Amino acid sequence: MQQSVESLVRLLESYRGRDKVIRTVCYGSQLVGGALTQKAEADASSQRLGKSLLLFSAQLSHCRTVLRLFDDLSMLAYSHSYGLGASEEDSGIRWISVLTNVADQLYYPCEHIAWAADAELIKVRSDKWWLFSTVLWGTSLLLGIFRSLRVLLLLRRTLKKQERAEGGSRQSHLNREIRAELLSILSCMADISNAIHWMPPGFLWAGRFPSWLVGLLGTTSSLIGLIQMNTSSSELSDSTVMSSQ
């Protein structure tokens, strides 16, 4: 129990970790709130609780939007350090990653303009800017799926080569990487489903999801993100211990 609390505290100390926790609570509140308000037989107190949770979820979403006002420079620094992906051995992964960085970089100013328009800081219509940001987010997610599929293909090829040549430790590491990529695909698919839901009506299933389903998909991707962050932190700690030994 104490270890879990310490892990949560360490997670909340970093910006990315705190954002993932807020995201999980945001979508979790939408899931529960949407389910309560959806129930026809729910009593008045449950309906009020459901509406309160939906409002709480909306406020957390707004909070994350405001915090992302300061993400442009860190994203630009990452894109600059990655460049054209000269360190990547596979050209497919390299160019998918470059396009993903471009989509992510363009996402932030579009969202900032939409937020500023809603806050009446600038006199423009926010609708088209929210649409641009949603399209860029969806594009980034789709590219993320393509990248994971390419990585999976390369990992499976490597795994087949290692089956006869090396022992189980190397194969175990490759299997963990394969599971991580499968989780990434599941996370991106959940998020892209929500991205399509927020597109203009008439595009696929845009606007057709109930609140609880949006919350369920978002909670799923958020929990996967927390698991991946915790796993990467654990692997980093293990590698640090091994190197010190």
Side-chain angles (χ1 to χ4, degrees):
M1 179 63 180
Q2 183 179 356
Q3 187 177 2
S4 300
V5 173
E6 290 176 354
S7 298
L8 179 60
V9 170
R10 285 197 301 270
L11 193 65
L12 291 172
E13 285 177 347
S14 68
Y15 169 74
R16 297 298 172 193
R18 191 182 307 118
D19 179 68
K20 288 187 180 298
V21 172
I22 294 174
R23 188 183 197 271
T24 304
V25 176
C26 173
Y27 280 114
S29 300
Q30 187 171 6
L31 169 60
V32 177
L36 288 175
T37 56
Q38 190 83 4
K39 282 186 176 181
E41 67 275 10
D43 54 30
S45 60
S46 296
Q47 289 282 345
R48 284 196 300 271
L49 176 60
K51 291 178 180 178
S52 296
L53 286 172
L54 290 176
L55 289 173
F56 178 60
S57 174
Q59 289 300 313
L60 288 179
S61 178
H62 180 71
C63 168
R64 295 183 65 235
T65 301
V66 174
L67 289 175
R68 282 195 296 270
L69 291 172
F70 306 95
D71 282 357
D72 299 73
L73 289 179
S74 59
M75 183 66 220
L76 184 61
Y78 173 77
S79 298
H80 181 266
S81 65
Y82 188 85
L84 295 179
S87 60
E88 294 283 1
E89 296 180 3
D90 183 75
S91 60
I93 293 177
R94 178 168 64 248
W95 289 111
I96 290 173
S97 298
V98 169
L99 290 174
T100 301
N101 290 341
V102 171
D104 290 342
Q105 192 69 63
L106 292 175
Y107 167 84
Y108 289 109
C110 290
E111 186 187 53
H112 301 340
I113 294 171
W115 168 83
D118 283 345
E120 298 183 353
L121 298 176
I122 55 177
K123 293 185 178 180
V124 297
R125 288 178 58 87
S126 65
D127 298 1
K128 67 177 182 179
W129 292 104
W130 284 122
L131 175 60
F132 290 158
S133 63
T134 302
V135 169
L136 288 167
W137 181 43
T139 301
S140 175
L141 292 168
L142 192 60
L143 289 169
I145 292 174
F146 291 155
R147 185 186 188 281
S148 290
L149 289 173
R150 179 61 179 170
V151 172
L152 278 175
L153 178 62
L154 296 176
L155 286 173
R156 290 189 181 280
R157 288 178 182 173
T158 305
L159 186 60
K160 287 181 179 179
K161 293 178 182 178
Q162 296 293 333
E163 282 177 352
R164 293 179 235 181
E166 294 188 13
S169 59
R170 175 63 175 164
Q171 292 180 25
S172 176
H173 176 71
L174 290 173
N175 285 324
R176 284 199 300 271
E177 290 187 8
I178 288 173
R179 286 194 295 269
E181 293 301 330
L182 289 173
L183 283 175
S184 294
I185 291 173
L186 178 60
S187 176
C188 287
M189 289 179 65
D191 281 335
I192 205 169
S193 297
N194 275 342
I196 292 173
H197 166 72
W198 287 316
M199 293 291 284
F203 180 76
L204 298 178
W205 55 81
R208 297 182 184 178
F209 285 176
S211 293
W212 68 265
L213 182 53
V214 174
L216 176 62
L217 293 169
T219 302
T220 300
S221 65
S222 299
L223 290 175
I224 290 174
L226 286 172
I227 292 170
Q228 290 175 327
M229 175 173 275
N230 183 61
T231 302
S232 61
S233 298
S234 299
E235 290 178 352
L236 180 62
S237 299
D238 292 343
S239 64
T240 304
V241 171
M242 291 297 292
S243 62
S244 64
Q245 291 175 345

